[in-house]
Short mmCIF file of all heavy atoms in Angstrom, two decimals:
data_model
loop_
_atom_site.label_atom_id
_atom_site.label_comp_id
_atom_site.label_asym_id
_atom_site.label_seq_id
_atom_site.Cartn_x
_atom_site.Cartn_y
_atom_site.Cartn_z
N ALA A 180 29.29 -74.31 -15.24
CA ALA A 180 28.28 -73.31 -15.59
C ALA A 180 28.29 -73.02 -17.08
O ALA A 180 27.23 -72.93 -17.72
CB ALA A 180 28.53 -72.02 -14.80
N ASP A 181 29.48 -72.88 -17.67
CA ASP A 181 29.57 -72.61 -19.11
C ASP A 181 29.01 -73.77 -19.92
O ASP A 181 28.35 -73.56 -20.95
CB ASP A 181 31.02 -72.35 -19.50
CG ASP A 181 31.56 -71.05 -18.92
OD1 ASP A 181 30.73 -70.19 -18.54
OD2 ASP A 181 32.80 -70.89 -18.84
N ARG A 182 29.28 -74.98 -19.49
CA ARG A 182 28.78 -76.15 -20.22
C ARG A 182 27.25 -76.21 -20.18
O ARG A 182 26.59 -76.48 -21.19
CB ARG A 182 29.38 -77.42 -19.62
CG ARG A 182 29.02 -78.68 -20.39
CD ARG A 182 29.84 -79.86 -19.94
NE ARG A 182 29.55 -80.27 -18.57
CZ ARG A 182 30.36 -80.10 -17.54
NH1 ARG A 182 31.53 -79.49 -17.70
NH2 ARG A 182 30.02 -80.53 -16.34
N LEU A 183 26.68 -75.93 -19.02
CA LEU A 183 25.22 -75.95 -18.90
C LEU A 183 24.59 -74.80 -19.68
O LEU A 183 23.54 -74.97 -20.31
CB LEU A 183 24.82 -75.87 -17.43
CG LEU A 183 25.12 -77.12 -16.60
CD1 LEU A 183 24.90 -76.83 -15.12
CD2 LEU A 183 24.24 -78.29 -17.04
N ALA A 184 25.22 -73.64 -19.66
CA ALA A 184 24.71 -72.51 -20.42
C ALA A 184 24.79 -72.79 -21.92
O ALA A 184 23.88 -72.45 -22.69
CB ALA A 184 25.47 -71.23 -20.07
N GLY A 185 25.88 -73.42 -22.35
CA GLY A 185 26.02 -73.75 -23.76
C GLY A 185 24.99 -74.76 -24.23
O GLY A 185 24.61 -74.77 -25.41
N ALA A 186 24.52 -75.60 -23.30
CA ALA A 186 23.49 -76.58 -23.64
C ALA A 186 22.08 -76.02 -23.50
O ALA A 186 21.10 -76.72 -23.73
CB ALA A 186 23.63 -77.81 -22.74
N GLY A 187 21.99 -74.75 -23.10
CA GLY A 187 20.67 -74.13 -22.95
C GLY A 187 19.96 -74.49 -21.66
O GLY A 187 18.76 -74.22 -21.53
N LEU A 188 20.67 -75.08 -20.71
CA LEU A 188 20.04 -75.50 -19.46
C LEU A 188 20.23 -74.49 -18.32
O LEU A 188 19.45 -74.50 -17.36
CB LEU A 188 20.62 -76.86 -19.02
CG LEU A 188 20.42 -78.01 -20.01
CD1 LEU A 188 21.06 -79.28 -19.47
CD2 LEU A 188 18.93 -78.24 -20.29
N ALA A 189 21.23 -73.65 -18.43
CA ALA A 189 21.48 -72.62 -17.41
C ALA A 189 21.40 -71.24 -18.05
O ALA A 189 21.71 -71.07 -19.23
CB ALA A 189 22.84 -72.83 -16.76
N VAL A 190 20.97 -70.27 -17.27
CA VAL A 190 20.94 -68.89 -17.74
C VAL A 190 22.37 -68.38 -17.79
O VAL A 190 23.10 -68.48 -16.79
CB VAL A 190 20.09 -68.01 -16.80
CG1 VAL A 190 20.13 -66.56 -17.25
CG2 VAL A 190 18.66 -68.52 -16.76
N PRO A 191 22.84 -67.85 -18.94
CA PRO A 191 24.21 -67.33 -19.01
C PRO A 191 24.46 -66.29 -17.93
O PRO A 191 23.59 -65.48 -17.61
CB PRO A 191 24.28 -66.72 -20.42
CG PRO A 191 23.25 -67.47 -21.20
CD PRO A 191 22.14 -67.76 -20.23
N ASP A 192 25.66 -66.31 -17.39
CA ASP A 192 26.01 -65.42 -16.28
C ASP A 192 25.85 -63.95 -16.67
O ASP A 192 25.37 -63.14 -15.88
CB ASP A 192 27.45 -65.69 -15.83
CG ASP A 192 27.81 -64.92 -14.58
OD1 ASP A 192 27.20 -65.16 -13.52
OD2 ASP A 192 28.70 -64.05 -14.66
N ALA A 193 26.25 -63.61 -17.91
CA ALA A 193 26.14 -62.22 -18.34
C ALA A 193 24.69 -61.76 -18.37
O ALA A 193 24.37 -60.62 -18.03
CB ALA A 193 26.79 -62.05 -19.71
N VAL A 194 23.79 -62.65 -18.81
CA VAL A 194 22.37 -62.30 -18.88
C VAL A 194 21.80 -62.12 -17.49
O VAL A 194 21.11 -61.13 -17.19
CB VAL A 194 21.59 -63.39 -19.64
CG1 VAL A 194 20.09 -63.16 -19.52
CG2 VAL A 194 22.01 -63.42 -21.11
N ARG A 195 22.10 -63.06 -16.59
CA ARG A 195 21.54 -62.98 -15.23
C ARG A 195 22.06 -61.75 -14.51
O ARG A 195 21.30 -61.03 -13.85
CB ARG A 195 21.91 -64.25 -14.46
CG ARG A 195 21.24 -64.35 -13.09
CD ARG A 195 21.60 -65.62 -12.36
NE ARG A 195 23.03 -65.74 -12.17
CZ ARG A 195 23.81 -66.54 -12.86
NH1 ARG A 195 23.30 -67.29 -13.80
NH2 ARG A 195 25.11 -66.58 -12.62
N CYS A 196 23.37 -61.49 -14.63
CA CYS A 196 23.94 -60.31 -13.95
C CYS A 196 23.41 -59.02 -14.55
O CYS A 196 23.16 -58.05 -13.83
CB CYS A 196 25.46 -60.36 -14.04
SG CYS A 196 26.22 -61.68 -13.08
N GLY A 197 23.23 -58.99 -15.88
CA GLY A 197 22.71 -57.80 -16.53
C GLY A 197 21.30 -57.47 -16.08
O GLY A 197 20.97 -56.31 -15.80
N VAL A 198 20.47 -58.49 -16.00
CA VAL A 198 19.09 -58.27 -15.55
C VAL A 198 19.06 -57.84 -14.09
O VAL A 198 18.35 -56.89 -13.72
CB VAL A 198 18.25 -59.55 -15.76
CG1 VAL A 198 16.88 -59.41 -15.10
CG2 VAL A 198 18.08 -59.83 -17.26
N SER A 199 19.82 -58.52 -13.25
CA SER A 199 19.81 -58.20 -11.82
C SER A 199 20.30 -56.78 -11.57
O SER A 199 19.70 -56.04 -10.77
CB SER A 199 20.69 -59.20 -11.06
OG SER A 199 20.19 -60.51 -11.19
N SER A 200 21.40 -56.39 -12.23
CA SER A 200 21.92 -55.04 -12.01
C SER A 200 20.97 -53.98 -12.56
O SER A 200 20.83 -52.89 -11.98
CB SER A 200 23.29 -54.89 -12.67
OG SER A 200 23.21 -55.09 -14.07
N SER A 201 20.26 -54.29 -13.65
CA SER A 201 19.30 -53.34 -14.21
C SER A 201 18.11 -53.15 -13.27
O SER A 201 17.62 -52.03 -13.09
CB SER A 201 18.82 -53.82 -15.58
OG SER A 201 19.90 -53.88 -16.49
N VAL A 202 17.66 -54.23 -12.68
CA VAL A 202 16.55 -54.13 -11.72
C VAL A 202 16.97 -53.30 -10.51
O VAL A 202 16.21 -52.46 -10.00
CB VAL A 202 16.08 -55.53 -11.29
CG1 VAL A 202 15.10 -55.44 -10.13
CG2 VAL A 202 15.42 -56.25 -12.47
N ARG A 203 18.21 -53.52 -10.04
CA ARG A 203 18.70 -52.72 -8.91
C ARG A 203 18.78 -51.24 -9.28
O ARG A 203 18.51 -50.37 -8.45
CB ARG A 203 20.06 -53.24 -8.46
CG ARG A 203 20.01 -54.56 -7.73
CD ARG A 203 21.34 -54.84 -7.02
NE ARG A 203 22.44 -54.96 -7.95
CZ ARG A 203 22.83 -56.11 -8.50
NH1 ARG A 203 22.19 -57.23 -8.21
NH2 ARG A 203 23.86 -56.15 -9.33
N ALA A 204 19.15 -50.96 -10.53
CA ALA A 204 19.23 -49.56 -10.97
C ALA A 204 17.85 -48.91 -10.96
O ALA A 204 17.71 -47.74 -10.57
CB ALA A 204 19.84 -49.49 -12.37
N VAL A 205 16.83 -49.64 -11.38
CA VAL A 205 15.47 -49.08 -11.37
C VAL A 205 15.00 -48.86 -9.94
O VAL A 205 14.35 -47.85 -9.64
CB VAL A 205 14.50 -50.01 -12.13
CG1 VAL A 205 13.07 -49.48 -12.04
CG2 VAL A 205 14.91 -50.12 -13.60
N ARG A 206 15.34 -49.78 -9.03
CA ARG A 206 14.97 -49.59 -7.63
C ARG A 206 15.65 -48.35 -7.05
O ARG A 206 15.03 -47.58 -6.31
CB ARG A 206 15.36 -50.83 -6.83
CG ARG A 206 14.49 -52.05 -7.10
CD ARG A 206 15.03 -53.27 -6.39
NE ARG A 206 14.19 -54.44 -6.61
CZ ARG A 206 14.58 -55.68 -6.36
NH1 ARG A 206 15.80 -55.91 -5.88
NH2 ARG A 206 13.76 -56.69 -6.60
N SER A 207 16.92 -48.17 -7.39
CA SER A 207 17.64 -46.99 -6.90
C SER A 207 17.03 -45.71 -7.47
O SER A 207 16.91 -44.70 -6.76
CB SER A 207 19.12 -47.08 -7.30
OG SER A 207 19.73 -48.20 -6.71
N ALA A 208 16.64 -45.77 -8.74
CA ALA A 208 16.00 -44.61 -9.35
C ALA A 208 14.67 -44.29 -8.67
O ALA A 208 14.33 -43.12 -8.46
CB ALA A 208 15.79 -44.84 -10.84
N THR A 209 13.92 -45.33 -8.32
CA THR A 209 12.65 -45.12 -7.62
C THR A 209 12.87 -44.42 -6.28
O THR A 209 12.14 -43.49 -5.92
CB THR A 209 11.95 -46.47 -7.39
OG1 THR A 209 11.74 -47.11 -8.65
CG2 THR A 209 10.61 -46.28 -6.70
N LEU A 210 13.88 -44.86 -5.56
CA LEU A 210 14.20 -44.22 -4.28
C LEU A 210 14.64 -42.77 -4.49
O LEU A 210 14.21 -41.87 -3.75
CB LEU A 210 15.29 -45.01 -3.57
CG LEU A 210 15.77 -44.45 -2.23
CD1 LEU A 210 14.62 -44.39 -1.23
CD2 LEU A 210 16.91 -45.31 -1.67
N LEU A 211 15.46 -42.54 -5.50
CA LEU A 211 15.93 -41.18 -5.78
C LEU A 211 14.76 -40.26 -6.14
O LEU A 211 14.68 -39.11 -5.66
CB LEU A 211 16.94 -41.20 -6.92
CG LEU A 211 17.44 -39.84 -7.41
CD1 LEU A 211 18.17 -39.11 -6.29
CD2 LEU A 211 18.33 -40.00 -8.64
N ILE A 212 13.84 -40.75 -6.97
CA ILE A 212 12.68 -39.95 -7.36
C ILE A 212 11.85 -39.59 -6.14
O ILE A 212 11.37 -38.46 -6.00
CB ILE A 212 11.85 -40.70 -8.41
CG1 ILE A 212 12.64 -40.84 -9.71
CG2 ILE A 212 10.53 -39.98 -8.68
CD1 ILE A 212 12.02 -41.83 -10.69
N THR A 213 11.66 -40.55 -5.26
CA THR A 213 10.88 -40.30 -4.05
C THR A 213 11.53 -39.21 -3.19
O THR A 213 10.85 -38.31 -2.70
CB THR A 213 10.74 -41.59 -3.24
OG1 THR A 213 10.13 -42.60 -4.05
CG2 THR A 213 9.89 -41.36 -2.00
N VAL A 214 12.86 -39.32 -3.02
CA VAL A 214 13.57 -38.32 -2.22
C VAL A 214 13.47 -36.94 -2.87
O VAL A 214 13.23 -35.92 -2.19
CB VAL A 214 15.04 -38.73 -2.05
CG1 VAL A 214 15.85 -37.60 -1.40
CG2 VAL A 214 15.14 -40.00 -1.22
N LEU A 215 13.65 -36.88 -4.19
CA LEU A 215 13.57 -35.60 -4.89
C LEU A 215 12.16 -35.01 -4.81
O LEU A 215 11.99 -33.79 -4.65
CB LEU A 215 13.98 -35.78 -6.36
CG LEU A 215 15.48 -36.08 -6.60
CD1 LEU A 215 15.71 -36.42 -8.06
CD2 LEU A 215 16.34 -34.90 -6.17
N ALA A 216 11.16 -35.87 -4.91
CA ALA A 216 9.77 -35.39 -4.84
C ALA A 216 9.48 -34.81 -3.46
O ALA A 216 8.87 -33.73 -3.34
CB ALA A 216 8.81 -36.53 -5.15
N VAL A 217 9.89 -35.49 -2.41
CA VAL A 217 9.66 -35.00 -1.05
C VAL A 217 10.40 -33.67 -0.84
O VAL A 217 9.86 -32.73 -0.26
CB VAL A 217 10.11 -36.05 -0.02
CG1 VAL A 217 10.07 -35.46 1.39
CG2 VAL A 217 9.23 -37.29 -0.11
N SER A 218 11.64 -33.62 -1.35
CA SER A 218 12.41 -32.38 -1.21
C SER A 218 11.73 -31.22 -1.93
O SER A 218 11.65 -30.09 -1.41
CB SER A 218 13.82 -32.58 -1.77
OG SER A 218 14.50 -33.61 -1.08
N ALA A 219 11.20 -31.48 -3.13
CA ALA A 219 10.52 -30.42 -3.89
C ALA A 219 9.25 -29.96 -3.19
O ALA A 219 8.93 -28.77 -3.15
CB ALA A 219 10.21 -30.92 -5.30
N LEU A 220 8.52 -30.92 -2.61
CA LEU A 220 7.27 -30.57 -1.94
C LEU A 220 7.51 -29.78 -0.65
O LEU A 220 6.65 -29.02 -0.23
CB LEU A 220 6.48 -31.85 -1.63
CG LEU A 220 5.88 -32.56 -2.85
CD1 LEU A 220 5.33 -33.92 -2.44
CD2 LEU A 220 4.77 -31.70 -3.47
N LEU A 221 8.66 -29.99 -0.04
CA LEU A 221 8.96 -29.30 1.21
C LEU A 221 9.64 -27.96 1.01
O LEU A 221 9.94 -27.26 1.98
CB LEU A 221 9.85 -30.19 2.09
CG LEU A 221 9.19 -31.48 2.62
CD1 LEU A 221 10.19 -32.28 3.44
CD2 LEU A 221 7.95 -31.17 3.44
N MET A 222 9.88 -27.61 -0.25
CA MET A 222 10.51 -26.32 -0.50
C MET A 222 9.58 -25.18 -0.08
O MET A 222 8.37 -25.25 -0.32
CB MET A 222 10.85 -26.17 -1.99
CG MET A 222 12.03 -27.01 -2.45
SD MET A 222 12.38 -26.70 -4.19
CE MET A 222 12.82 -24.96 -4.14
#
């Protein structure tokens, strides 16, 4: 994997993991916002 990434043929592991974890964080935030909005509306 390191050899392919160094040759520009593979996505570096740090980049792929960083993007994937960031996308998961935004999805979690979306769910949290939805829950908070419903809770506020039901007050």
Side-chain angles (χ1 to χ4, degrees):
D181 292 340
R182 185 169 67 251
L183 290 170
L188 300 179
V190 177
D192 187 63
V194 171
R195 187 179 59 255
C196 292
V198 171
S199 298
S200 61
S201 297
V202 170
R203 288 194 297 270
V205 176
R206 289 174 178 164
S207 298
T209 302
L210 178 61
L211 175 62
I212 293 167
T213 303
V214 172
L215 290 172
V217 172
S218 300
L220 290 171
L221 293 178
M222 286 183 63

